[in-house]
Amino acid sequence: MIIPFKPNDIIANTPLSKALPGNTRVLAFDELINKLWLIGLPAFKTADGKSRHIQDYLKGPYDVPLDEYCDLKDEGLIYVLNIQSAQAMPDSARLLAATSDRERESIKRDFWYRDRRYTGIKAIVCLGDTAALKPTHEVLMDRTLPKQVNEQATAHGLSVKAIYHYLHLFWAGGSHKNALSTRFTYCGNPGEAKPQRCHLGRKPNLFHDGLIPTDGYPLTDDCKEKLKWGFRLVKHGTPEHDAYLMTMAVHWAEHVVDPSTGEIKAELFETYLRPTFEQFSRWGELLNGTTVTAILLGPKRNRQRTEAKGGSEQDQVAGIGQMAGFDATSDDVYLTRLNSRIKRLPPMTRMILKEVRLGLIYGLYCGWEPPSPATALQTILHGASPDKAAWAARFGVEMPEGAMPAMLARTHIADNGELKAEKATEAEQQFGFGIDVTPTDSGDRKGGVESQHRSDHAQVDHKVPGSTFGHRPKRGDVLPVTQALWNYYEYMRELILHIIWHNTIEEVPELAPDDMLLAVPPIPPTRINIFNWLTQRGMNKSLPINYDAMKAFCLPDVDAVIRKNGIYIEAKVNRTKQALPRLRYTSDELVKTGLMSQVKRTGSPIHTRIKMDTSDLSRVWLPTKAGLIEVFHSARDTTINTKLTLTEWIAILEDRGTRRSLMQGQIDQHDVNTLVRRQTVTDNAKADLQAEIKHRGKGLTKAEVKRGLLVNRSDEIEYLQAQERMLAQAPEQPPSQSSEEFLEEDDSGLSAAELLMESIHQKKAAT
């Protein structure tokens, strides 16, 4: 006969069968005497139809005909349960599973009680002094078993009933020592609080000192219900203690009318006649199934703080380029103007693209434009740019080749913000990438890029003078704006160097494939090395990039005017639209279009719109019928096109315009002084001319005026040379004296110089 059971199997009734009284464990069997020993398992016992508690007392083993139960198994009236027992878990594993020191000490106490019980039955179930167990059927058939039980009870100071109880628990638990563990966790009905007939917990000091008659206030079910509803008053603006006081004022106070004001006042009962704040907190949290923190955070934020799904962000993808996280934040740093350390600038907006598989940062936008679909698409465009080395060189950084690879991820996971717009949806359709928008307040859905913001803040932003450290200053704090020292060029240089370190130097072996870690010679497991390793093996799943088409779509449109010498950007400066000086762009491709020749021929500038990155003034793109034409900035003004953004240059021009407006009064005064001075000279000269004509006695004709110009020039030269010789021969005079005093006049009214010139003319006439 084939026995369908083995020792320690658990058997149970099939539906509609009543062959067994309940779940039963097989202890042993003997084919020779046709016996099967069974013992019932502990079960939940229902006393009043509602409460359920585990049955601690177990009936002893019993024997049944073996062949009869084999037939029941064959007939399908009973079956073997496949249950994995947790009682075989070693002690070390149970201690490791403890989540707190308090729980660990409780487990150790349980071990002590278990070992004490096992000592009482060890001599009965084990072979001699060893830990090897006797066959169970030999113990059950031993006629000296009652005598052994009595001896062990006497030896260990236990009752006979206790020894039998431990034996039954041991066998019902599958002959595991852990079956003798205490069942303190089953004390009381599950989910039901024990009625309080006295105050629970530590007695107050006032009671020990005899200053109050009772040790506290015991809570009834009605009291707990009131505390439950009072706890729900907690919210922003109503702290937990205020909610406690409001609950006490309603339910544990005497309401009296103030005779002076007619208002109803709540006079609280004595402290020992009402619940304490600790009771309010404990039962409020217990009965509502929540905490104050969970209430204040809200369900979503609390779920993010407490819930763990046992996975990582990398589990969502198999290759690189499948998904990228996108998010925007403030850089938390006040900066200064490039042309003045005194003038401060507010924190910028920073947007990043972070590849999910490796955590590689490959796209960046950093500027003062507010977060918008336009700046978000600029970030995606920057991620697809193949020439990031030239971009980094603007800020004096020599970027290693491929440190920020060009990539267009298949899916971009973002929050309910910049990429949730019509422009972004249109970009999805044109270029084939996807945008996965997470629910509101669900930053944990894109935890990689969120944690990157915290890392960037800690390693860059919070190390820079003028950092806000991510919070508003409180009263008495030093204002971060007063500490600002760095400018945009200096900040961007450090940020780019940090990204290069993140991509090319920081080692992340946990993200590397096993084969790469075992490669010979060893390959440093940096993000860019892992990226290159996976790309070489065909695991780069990013989309093909049409960068020119992306530029035409993603770059913002900027007003411009084409003149005969190039393209100028147009923008409002002090509310007046004008061509911005020193931002002139030209190239050979622009010359070939003939647009500048058209302007020179017609004399009329051409107003148009160009594509440009407002944080990079070194080049722009002009849309034409033949496509986008790249036009470069004048090589002369390298500081402006490499270190300034469009916003900063406009601000500088506005400051210059403001200074000119403030100085307009001085300029006008200077012009007036010049005009009056020159007019005075003219008037004096006219007066001298009229006096000379009058002295001559007749007027001048046009012929006389035009005659003798060459002779007059020669006379004037000789006159000036004679003056210089006279001045050189005259004695030095104090500085206050005029040089005209050296030209003394004779009785005729002519100066010595004039007399000298007259004698020269006479000699010429004589010759």
Side-chain angles (χ1 to χ4, degrees):
M1 179 177 61
I2 299 176
I3 309 300
F5 313 113
K6 60 181 182 294
N8 287 327
D9 274 353
I10 297 176
I11 56 178
N13 294 318
T14 58
L16 303 180
S17 174
K18 296 183 179 180
L20 295 171
N23 293 346
T24 306
R25 185 179 294 278
V26 175
L27 295 181
F29 57 84
D30 192 334
E31 292 185 69
L32 296 177
I33 60 177
N34 192 29
K35 278 189 178 182
L36 175 68
W37 283 273
L38 304 174
I39 188 171
L41 299 183
F44 284 100
K45 182 178 180 181
T46 302
D48 54 2
K50 294 183 180 180
S51 60
R52 302 175 71 241
H53 62 278
I54 195 165
Q55 179 181 347
D56 184 63
Y57 173 75
L58 293 178
K59 294 181 180 180
Y62 60 95
D63 60 86
V64 294
L66 177 61
D67 57 355
E68 180 179 336
Y69 273 74
C70 290
D71 293 341
L72 291 175
K73 175 67 171 60
D74 294 338
E75 295 171 3
L77 297 178
I78 62 175
Y79 69 101
V80 178
L81 285 170
N82 293 320
I83 298 178
Q84 298 294 330
S85 175
Q87 294 178 342
M89 181 184 294
D91 293 354
S92 58
R94 291 184 62 187
L95 288 172
L96 286 174
T99 57
S100 64
D101 292 340
R102 183 176 180 180
E103 183 179 355
R104 195 171 293 107
E105 291 301 321
S106 176
I107 293 174
K108 289 180 179 179
R109 259 194 324 270
D110 190 37
F111 289 163
W112 183 84
Y113 282 111
R114 177 203 62 189
D115 294 342
R116 182 184 176 190
R117 290 180 173 187
Y118 183 69
T119 304
I121 64 170
K122 182 177 180 181
I124 300 174
V125 298
C126 293
L127 294 171
D129 294 334
T130 67
L133 296 176
K134 297 178 182 178
T136 306
H137 69 280
E138 291 184 5
V139 178
L140 293 173
M141 295 179 65
D142 190 351
R143 295 180 180 274
T144 64
L145 179 60
K147 181 181 178 181
Q148 296 179 43
V149 170
N150 287 329
E151 290 175 354
Q152 294 301 315
T154 302
H156 297 285
L158 298 171
S159 65
V160 173
K161 183 178 179 180
I163 298 297
Y164 276 116
H165 176 59
Y166 298 159
L167 278 174
H168 298 165
L169 287 176
F170 181 75
W171 285 328
S175 299
H176 289 295
K177 186 168 64 172
N178 285 336
L180 298 174
S181 297
T182 62
R183 294 177 181 169
F184 294 157
T185 55
Y186 294 101
C187 294
N189 295 326
E192 295 186 15
K194 183 179 180 180
Q196 295 185 18
R197 295 181 177 86
C198 61
H199 176 258
L200 304 180
R202 185 177 64 85
K203 294 177 174 54
N205 293 330
L206 294 179
F207 176 76
H208 287 296
D209 296 339
L211 299 178
I212 56 175
T214 62
D215 60 352
Y217 185 81
L219 299 177
T220 63
D221 291 342
D222 181 60
C223 294
K224 295 174 184 176
E225 191 70 15
K226 292 175 181 177
L227 296 181
K228 169 186 174 182
W229 290 100
F231 189 79
R232 297 187 180 184
L233 297 175
V234 176
K235 59 182 179 181
H236 287 289
T238 305
E240 185 180 6
H241 195 267
D242 289 359
Y244 163 72
L245 294 177
M246 292 170 64
T247 305
M248 296 300 105
V250 173
H251 299 292
W252 283 275
E254 182 178 357
H255 300 91
V256 297
V257 178
D258 189 341
S260 60
T261 62
E263 297 179 354
I264 298 178
K265 294 177 58 179
E267 295 183 355
L268 297 180
F269 297 158
E270 295 292 336
T271 55
Y272 59 88
L273 296 178
R274 54 183 170 87
T276 62
F277 176 67
E278 289 73 18
Q279 288 175 311
F280 174 80
S281 298
R282 181 181 185 278
W283 289 100
E285 293 184 358
L286 183 64
L287 297 178
N288 286 287
T290 185
T291 63
V292 174
T293 303
I295 292 173
L296 298 180
L297 288 177
K300 286 188 177 180
R301 298 289 296 276
N302 185 62
R303 175 184 59 79
Q304 296 172 12
R305 190 180 67 91
T306 59
E307 184 181 80
K309 296 183 178 179
S312 68
E313 195 176 44
Q314 286 74 30
D315 296 339
Q316 304 176 72
V317 295
I320 54 178
Q322 285 183 254
M323 181 182 291
F326 167 86
D327 197 39
T329 187
S330 168
D331 67 354
D332 290 352
V333 177
Y334 286 95
L335 300 178
T336 64
R337 295 277 293 278
L338 189 70
N339 63 335
S340 174
R341 301 285 183 180
I342 297 176
K343 297 180 180 179
R344 312 302 164 90
L345 295 168
M348 294 186 292
T349 297
R350 183 170 65 227
M351 299 180 176
I352 63 172
L353 281 173
K354 185 177 182 181
E355 200 277 328
V356 167
R357 170 64 178 83
L358 301 178
L360 190 78
I361 300 175
Y362 68 96
L364 174 70
Y365 169 83
C366 200
W368 282 281
E369 294 293 329
S372 66
T375 52
L377 289 176
Q378 284 187 62
T379 310
I380 294 177
L381 177 65
H382 183 264
S385 171
D387 194 16
K388 295 190 178 73
W391 163 76
R394 288 181 48 216
F395 304 99
V397 178
E398 185 177 351
M399 179 179 287
E401 183 178 357
M404 291 182 70
M407 186 162 48
L408 179 60
R410 292 185 175 272
T411 302
H412 298 79
I413 183 167
D415 55 21
N416 243 324
E418 298 79 19
L419 286 176
K420 191 177 180 181
E422 181 181 359
K423 186 78 171 176
T425 303
E426 187 179 349
E428 285 185 89
Q429 298 172 354
Q430 289 205 23
F431 303 106
F433 62 83
I435 297 175
D436 186 5
V437 178
T438 62
T440 307
D441 295 332
S442 299
D444 56 325
R445 303 292 180 87
K446 49 184 180 64
V449 68
E450 295 283 356
S451 62
Q452 187 63 46
H453 284 324
R454 291 193 292 271
S455 176
D456 295 343
H457 286 322
Q459 298 182 35
V460 181
D461 300 339
H462 297 171
K463 303 294 179 62
V464 176
S467 173
T468 65
F469 295 96
H471 58 77
R472 295 179 180 273
K474 298 179 181 179
R475 185 180 181 88
D477 291 349
V478 177
L479 295 178
V481 67
T482 63
Q483 307 298 308
L485 291 174
W486 288 23
N487 57 39
Y488 173 76
Y489 179 84
E490 295 162 341
Y491 174 80
M492 286 298 296
R493 183 176 186 276
E494 288 303 314
L495 180 61
I496 294 172
L497 289 173
H498 167 69
I499 294 175
I500 293 174
W501 170 85
H502 174 85
N503 287 350
T504 65
I505 300 177
E506 184 183 19
E507 295 190 357
V508 283
E510 67 277 4
L511 300 178
D514 295 342
D515 293 343
M516 179 181 172
L517 292 177
L518 300 176
V520 179
I523 302 174
T526 62
R527 289 181 172 87
I528 197 62
N529 286 344
I530 301 173
F531 175 87
N532 294 331
W533 195 89
L534 293 175
T535 300
Q536 293 168 4
R537 286 154 180 78
M539 298 187 68
N540 191 333
K541 306 301 181 183
S542 60
L543 294 171
I545 302 172
N546 186 344
Y547 186 64
D548 290 334
M550 289 192 68
K551 280 190 301 188
F553 185 89
C554 297
L555 284 177
D557 295 327
V558 178
D559 290 335
V561 59
I562 303 176
R563 295 179 176 174
K564 63 181 181 180
N565 60 342
I567 299 177
Y568 288 82
I569 297 174
E570 286 188 322
K572 284 190 175 182
V573 178
N574 289 326
R575 295 175 294 280
T576 301
K577 191 172 185 179
Q578 64 182 54
L580 301 184
R582 309 185 77 83
L583 290 185
R584 181 174 63 87
Y585 300 86
T586 186
S587 68
D588 294 338
E589 289 79 4
L590 180 62
V591 174
K592 293 177 183 179
T593 62
L595 294 174
M596 292 189 293
S597 298
Q598 177 185 340
V599 172
K600 186 174 183 180
R601 184 174 61 253
T602 62
S604 299
I606 301 173
H607 294 276
T608 184
R609 292 176 71 81
I610 58 175
K611 297 278 187 179
M612 72 172 298
D613 180 359
T614 56
S615 63
D616 182 2
L617 302 183
S618 62
R619 53 187 174 176
V620 299
W621 287 266
L622 175 67
T624 66
K625 294 180 180 179
L628 284 180
I629 294 176
E630 190 170 10
V631 192
F632 298 96
H633 190 272
S634 169
R636 179 186 56 174
D637 303 320
T638 56
T639 300
I640 293 176
N641 64 37
T642 58
K643 297 185 179 181
L644 291 180
T645 65
L646 183 60
T647 304
E648 281 190 302
W649 180 235
I650 292 175
I652 291 173
L653 293 176
E654 288 181 338
D655 286 349
R656 194 168 69 182
T658 301
R659 288 197 303 271
R660 184 175 180 85
S661 298
L662 293 174
M663 294 177 60
Q664 190 62 46
Q666 299 178 22
I667 295 172
D668 291 344
Q669 185 63 50
H670 174 269
D671 293 343
V672 165
N673 293 341
T674 302
L675 182 62
V676 171
R677 184 179 67 251
R678 291 173 180 174
Q679 189 63 42
T680 302
V681 173
T682 301
D683 293 342
N684 292 337
K686 286 181 179 180
D688 291 345
L689 177 62
Q690 295 299 325
E692 192 173 349
I693 291 174
K694 184 178 180 180
H695 179 73
R696 184 179 176 204
K698 63 176 181 179
L700 286 174
T701 64
K702 291 182 179 180
E704 289 180 311
V705 172
K706 294 190 295 181
R707 189 185 308 124
L709 292 178
L710 296 178
V711 175
N712 292 341
R713 180 183 67 182
S714 300
D715 293 345
E716 185 67 15
I717 292 173
E718 291 179 1
Y719 174 74
L720 293 176
Q721 290 175 351
Q723 270 193 325
E724 291 175 359
R725 287 194 298 271
M726 294 278 299
L727 290 173
Q729 295 173 1
E732 294 185 0
Q733 298 292 329
S736 59
Q737 292 180 325
S738 173
S739 61
E740 295 180 354
E741 296 179 2
F742 295 108
L743 304 178
E744 298 179 354
E745 298 181 353
D746 62 358
D747 296 338
S748 64
L750 298 177
S751 65
E754 290 174 334
L755 292 173
L756 178 61
M757 292 303 299
E758 185 67 24
S759 64
I760 293 173
H761 291 319
Q762 290 175 359
K763 289 180 181 179
K764 284 184 178 182
T767 58

